[in-house]
Every structure is written in C-alpha cells, then in structure tokens.
Amino acid sequence: MTPSFPIAEEPDAFAKEKGRMLFAGETEFLKGVVAMDGMPPGDRCEVCFAGRSNVGKSTLINAVTGRKALARASNTPGRTQEINFFTAADSHYLVDLPGYGFANAPVAVVAKWQKLLKAYLSGRANLRRAFVLVDSRHGIKPVDEEIMSLLDSSAVTFQCVLTKTDKPKKGELDKTLEQVRGALAKHPAAYPEIVLTSSDKGIGIETLRTLIATLS
C-alpha cells in the first residue's frame, strides 16, 4: 500500500520537553569537512539537513537549535562547500550538507561536492535520518529528485520538510503537498510523514526538535 505521507502531528507535552532539553544546552559548531578522512567519529546519533540553495536550510537549523548564527546563511548559492558538523548535547550530531542546485558553480566543483556527498551518505553507519528541505512555494524539483534517489541507493531514510509554509496561500500549499506526495511515493527511502515548517513563524520547530531527540 502506497503511504499517504500525512503531515506530522504536533508532539505531546512529554515529547516536546525531550526535544527542548536536547537543545537547552550548548549546541556548537564542531568542524567543516571536505574529505571523508576528516569526519568525526561515528559515536553518536546523527541527522543531516539537505536542500537546494536558498531553501532556508541555515535559517531552519538556527531556529531548531535556538542559535541565531550557528549555521551561516549565505547570499551566494552554493558558497558553502563543506559538510558542517554541529554537536547537540553529548548525544547528537547535526550535519549541514552543502546546498545544491547552483547553476553557476563550476562543473569540477559540483562533481567534487557530489563525490563527497555520496561517500558521506554511504559511509556513516550512525546516520539515522536525512531531512530533505523543499520550498513550499515551489515543490520538489529535479535536483531534489536527484538527492532523494541518492538517499534511496544509500539506504538512508529521509523525511521531507517543507520550508517557508507561511508564504503560500492555503490553496497553493495544498497543490504543493499533492505534488510532493506524488514525488515521495516513488522513493523507497522516504519516511511516510511530511513536516511543515516556517522559521519566521516558528511553525514545526518543536516537531523537528522532537523528531531529532527521539532518534537514537
């Protein structure tokens, strides 16, 4: 039976508290990695965030962690060329993957990023989930399909997170959800729930915190 990909429900008070506690302490930048030999030990639960450039990834990571400038948002698409690791308490890694969908990046640079990304996804046994961010105004694009197919082949469970959901009107958001659900149904690694978020309005932030905190 094809999953319907419902919207993730708001967590209960107990689950929310678990998510709050994870990020109540220090969340710090650990290191930026440009090659597999620079990866930190896989000794804790790890989640990663992927999304095309300008999807609002850095802003969402900052909102989830409650740190305004933890992940650096750039006005230049594709500027961040490293896999950036952050620590949450002593139990989790949060990983910010390089943005994709940059038409102006040199072919050699894109090829290098893709090689590193493939090695990372297939080489981190402690990676519990990838959050694939999709702009709610635009839906899933071909570049998103590429990363989802890569996650399929790497056997990494991924969950779709719609960003900027305060921007489109309800009818437009419903159309995006229909398109996203149709696209996700083709991917065996897709987790059967969608998270709606808005960093500006705080929508879905507690839900994401809870999801991360309950993975182990």
Side-chain angles (χ1 to χ4, degrees):
M1 182 176 177
T2 303
S4 60
F5 294 95
I7 304 302
E9 295 183 1
E10 186 174 343
D12 61 31
F14 179 79
K16 280 184 182 179
E17 180 62 11
K18 190 171 183 178
R20 187 192 72 79
M21 287 299 296
L22 176 62
F23 295 103
E26 289 296 322
T27 304
E28 298 180 336
F29 173 71
L30 178 64
K31 65 188 305 188
V33 175
V34 295
M36 285 300 292
D37 58 8
M39 297 283 171
D43 56 359
R44 60 180 70 189
C45 176
E46 187 165 306
V47 299
C48 68
F49 293 81
R52 63 181 182 269
S53 299
N54 293 335
V55 76
K57 180 160 53 69
S58 296
T59 307
L60 185 67
I61 292 173
N62 290 339
V64 167
T65 60
R67 305 292 189 272
K68 290 184 178 180
L70 184 69
R72 296 178 181 177
S74 172
N75 292 324
T76 306
R79 183 177 178 182
T80 304
Q81 300 180 24
E82 299 176 334
I83 294 178
N84 290 312
F85 283 79
F86 304 91
T87 57
D90 58 358
S91 59
H92 287 68
Y93 286 131
L94 273 61
V95 182
D96 184 6
L97 299 179
Y100 54 83
F102 21 79
N104 296 325
V107 174
V109 172
V110 174
K112 181 180 178 182
W113 290 344
Q114 289 176 337
K115 182 179 179 181
L116 177 59
L117 184 59
K118 289 177 181 178
Y120 166 75
L121 292 175
S122 61
R124 296 292 285 181
N126 59 317
L127 179 60
R128 295 292 178 263
R129 188 167 302 175
F131 294 106
V132 177
L133 278 52
V134 173
D135 193 317
S136 62
R137 299 169 297 179
H138 307 304
I140 290 177
K141 300 291 187 182
V143 288
D144 299 311
E145 292 278 8
E146 289 178 15
I147 191 74
M148 291 174 183
S149 294
L150 180 56
L151 288 159
D152 287 338
S153 63
S154 302
V156 174
T157 299
F158 71 87
Q159 188 161 7
C160 182
V161 177
L162 291 188
T163 63
K164 309 178 185 180
T165 59
D166 59 311
K167 305 297 184 186
K169 296 177 181 177
K170 186 181 185 305
E172 295 169 344
L173 182 58
D174 288 342
K175 287 183 179 178
T176 298
L177 279 168
E178 182 180 359
Q179 186 259 355
V180 167
R181 284 172 171 140
L184 291 176
K186 303 172 186 175
H187 293 280
Y191 188 81
E193 277 186 351
I194 298 170
V195 183
L196 302 184
T197 67
S198 165
S199 299
D200 289 343
K201 304 296 183 183
I203 297 168
I205 301 305
E206 288 184 321
T207 301
L208 263 181
R209 286 174 178 161
T210 302
L211 285 169
I212 294 167
T214 52
L215 291 168
S216 59

